[in-house]
Amino acid sequence: MTANTEALWDDLVSTALVGTGKRAVPGVDPAGPLGAAALSVGRADPAERLLDLAALTLVHRRAGRRPGTGAALPDRCPPDPRPTVPDRARVRLRILLGGGGAPAGRTAIAELLPEWLAEARARGFRAPESELPALLDIARAHSELRSDVAALAGPRGRWLARLNPDWGWAARVAAADTSADPDVWRHGLFGERLAFLTALRGRGPDAARDLLEQTWRGEPAEDRAQFLAALATGLSHADEAFLETALDDRGKAVRVGAAALLATLPGSAFARRMAERALACVRPNGTDAVTVVPPEACDEAMRRDGIADKSPTGREERAWWLGEIVAATPLSAWTEAFAEPPAAILARRLPTRWAEDVRDGWARAAVAQHDTAWARAQAGRGAPTRLLSVLPVDERAAHVAAHVAEHGLSEAFQLLAGCPAVWPDVLGHAVLDALATAARESAYPWSYSGVTGMAGRSMNPGLLPAVHTLTTTTDDAGYWPRVFTDLAGTLRERATMRAEFDAE
């Protein structure tokens, strides 16, 4: 459709509105956009000629539009040299994602899909192209799957993500790629900027900190807090000056985050301040006991270092201040002051009133500072389960196995959840023994449904024969045999799924 045709249409509409008696019917040039068809419009009656021209022009407007140039084609997707998964593994993935007549429900996502993704990634495969859209959709709703899905999707997944806003999470992961455009820091969305900063921090800690400093004052407080947390990667004394400045930030979350990072820098001015406070409160007294004298007040210097006036837990103020100081003190300060290893310090008697706060502070410090020696010394003393995260995988599993062997499964769920994705056999056997004991004692099986579900996801499929033996367990109602049969079925399915990656 040309501009002349559009102008003619406007003239015809105007003439029709006022009438042909007041305005002449527009003339038509046979050499114009309507071409030779204009010659057929020659009736004597002006109204009829107007209608003929309107009909002709309307057809030209609808069918005479010249084709546009169209949108530019996207860049070609970069190649992915990795091999795709074997056919049997691809079929399994399609079933897990909801194809093949089996909907992808919560059970498949919770139990089998994460293991499929981890196994394929560990073996160096790429995801089959036919399943990429479904994978990207699943990871959109289940953020815990995104790392594995992004790795398996590779360059094709990032290419697809740029074409569909619903897969923006994959574009944000792509921003963390080493080849990401630095303009993402200036113009990207928050998630993209955070991913870029984190990736840059891993490659060049100083460059990442300098970049953050350039825009720091203009960032919203909630964004500053999360950007600051990214500095945990590659944290060093070169960051100390910037973090000390952040202790004076107007945002509470920023101040708390800066204090947490400084607490993991032994030898920093912050660490020295905390150690001085801590050793004034907790010190050896020449016996096998410890003298504990909490602060009398929370002064301005303490508040600047991240210690709040009031406990958010309702804890007594002096006890709260004491625990916060101990948790932020380098653990090396205690071994130097007591001239003893962690186990000997922990064996000392503490005043009953303050013992919980001091021990909890030591536990929090061990986790924050990733101190294996202190975590190992506290494990098994009724200390928080988060201490186990500091221990090596096999040692962590051995601690949980010993707990299960001694105390059963009634309070073991959180301990088991903190163990690796696939349990070492020592832990698997301990859980099976505890379940067998519960069956012999005719315990109510649904009380253990959380543990049996976790065992299905985490137990080594190599223990299938031992589980199968338990399916012959008898009880009055026959519940436990069904529990063990279901568990055996899940382990068998996982073993088959693993074998499919070896198929030609």
Side-chain angles (χ1 to χ4, degrees):
M1 180 178 63
T2 65
N4 288 337
T5 304
E6 194 66 25
L8 175 60
W9 177 259
D10 291 341
D11 287 343
L12 290 171
V13 172
S14 298
T15 302
L17 289 173
V18 300
T20 55
K22 296 182 179 181
R23 182 171 179 173
V25 177
V28 180
D29 182 2
L34 297 183
L39 297 175
S40 65
V41 184
R43 301 195 191 193
D45 186 291
E48 292 179 348
R49 190 164 64 254
L50 175 68
L51 293 175
D52 286 344
L53 277 174
L56 182 62
T57 306
L58 180 61
V59 171
H60 191 276
R61 292 182 78 210
R62 290 178 174 177
R65 185 182 299 273
R66 293 180 179 178
T69 57
L73 292 174
D75 294 337
R76 184 181 296 274
C77 176
D80 190 340
R82 298 175 299 171
T84 191
V85 297
D87 286 345
R88 289 174 59 192
R90 178 185 58 77
V91 172
R92 168 78 62 174
L93 175 62
R94 176 168 292 184
I95 292 172
L96 292 176
L97 292 173
R106 185 176 299 274
T107 299
I109 293 171
E111 293 185 3
L112 298 180
L113 182 57
E115 184 170 359
W116 190 100
L117 297 172
E119 190 74 15
R121 181 178 183 180
R123 291 170 180 256
F125 288 120
R126 73 172 189 268
E129 286 77 5
S130 59
E131 311 308 324
L132 275 180
L135 272 175
L136 294 169
D137 279 338
I138 285 286
R140 177 191 179 196
H142 297 270
S143 59
E144 71 277 9
L145 303 179
R146 290 179 181 177
S147 176
D148 283 337
V149 169
L152 291 169
R156 186 176 294 272
R158 294 192 290 272
W159 182 81
L160 286 173
R162 292 196 295 271
L163 305 178
N164 186 347
D166 288 345
W167 300 332
W169 68 266
R172 291 191 289 273
V173 172
D177 189 86
T178 56
S179 61
D181 185 349
D183 280 347
V184 74
W185 179 252
R186 293 188 292 273
H187 307 298
L189 300 174
F190 168 74
E192 296 169 340
R193 298 179 72 218
L194 179 59
F196 178 81
L197 180 69
T198 303
L200 180 60
R201 182 71 175 178
R203 302 193 303 274
D206 292 342
R209 185 190 62 254
D210 292 343
L211 186 66
L212 181 58
E213 284 187 287
Q214 293 171 17
T215 61
W216 181 255
R217 293 185 179 277
E219 305 287 355
E222 59 271 20
D223 291 358
R224 290 200 306 275
Q226 295 192 59
F227 288 144
L228 194 71
L231 299 188
T233 300
L235 186 68
S236 72
H237 285 282
D239 303 310
E240 183 177 358
F242 176 64
L243 294 174
E244 280 284 343
T245 300
L247 289 176
D248 298 313
D249 195 272
R250 62 182 181 275
K252 178 180 178 180
V254 177
R255 297 194 301 271
V256 172
L261 290 174
L262 284 167
T264 65
L265 278 178
S268 66
F270 177 93
R272 291 194 297 272
R273 294 194 297 270
M274 283 297 183
E276 183 178 349
R277 294 182 184 114
L279 295 175
C281 298
V282 182
R283 53 187 181 273
N285 64 4
T287 67
D288 64 346
V290 178
T291 297
V292 179
V293 182
E296 294 291 342
C298 184
D299 58 27
E300 183 60 34
M302 289 169 60
R303 286 192 290 271
R304 181 180 182 271
D305 283 342
I307 300 175
D309 285 318
K310 303 291 183 182
S311 167
T313 64
R315 186 76 173 153
E316 178 188 352
E317 289 179 354
R318 295 183 68 201
W320 162 255
W321 301 331
L322 174 65
E324 291 297 283
I325 290 171
V326 173
T329 298
L331 291 165
S332 58
W334 303 109
T335 54
E336 293 172 6
F338 283 77
E340 293 174 344
I345 297 173
L346 291 163
R348 286 174 171 263
R349 291 182 293 106
L350 289 164
T352 302
R353 181 179 177 184
W354 314 113
E356 178 183 348
D357 305 289
V358 174
R359 293 194 183 281
D360 181 68
W362 279 335
R364 289 160 56 195
V367 174
Q369 298 170 37
H370 299 281
D371 193 303
T372 303
W374 275 85
R376 183 178 293 124
Q378 293 176 87
R381 294 173 172 267
T385 58
R386 60 180 178 268
L387 280 167
L388 294 177
S389 65
V390 183
L391 300 178
V393 169
D394 289 343
E395 189 175 346
R396 190 187 321 167
H399 271 284
V400 178
H403 176 92
V404 170
E406 182 176 355
H407 303 288
L409 295 168
S410 59
E411 298 179 359
F413 188 84
Q414 291 300 325
L415 292 171
L416 292 169
C419 288
V422 178
W423 295 339
D425 284 353
V426 63
L427 179 55
H429 281 298
V431 171
L432 280 182
D433 290 344
L435 288 173
T437 299
R440 286 194 301 271
E441 295 174 352
S442 299
Y444 194 57
W446 284 272
S447 299
Y448 299 88
S449 59
V451 172
T452 54
M454 190 183 301
R457 297 188 296 271
S458 305
M459 192 174 288
N460 184 350
L463 297 184
L464 179 58
V467 178
H468 183 71
T469 299
L470 295 176
T471 61
T472 60
T473 299
T474 59
D475 59 37
D476 292 339
Y479 294 137
W480 277 104
R482 289 199 292 272
V483 169
F484 291 124
T485 298
D486 290 344
L487 177 56
T490 302
L491 294 182
R492 188 178 299 110
E493 192 76 3
R494 289 175 54 215
T496 302
M497 186 174 70
R498 289 183 178 188
E500 289 167 349
F501 284 103
D502 296 320
E504 294 295 333

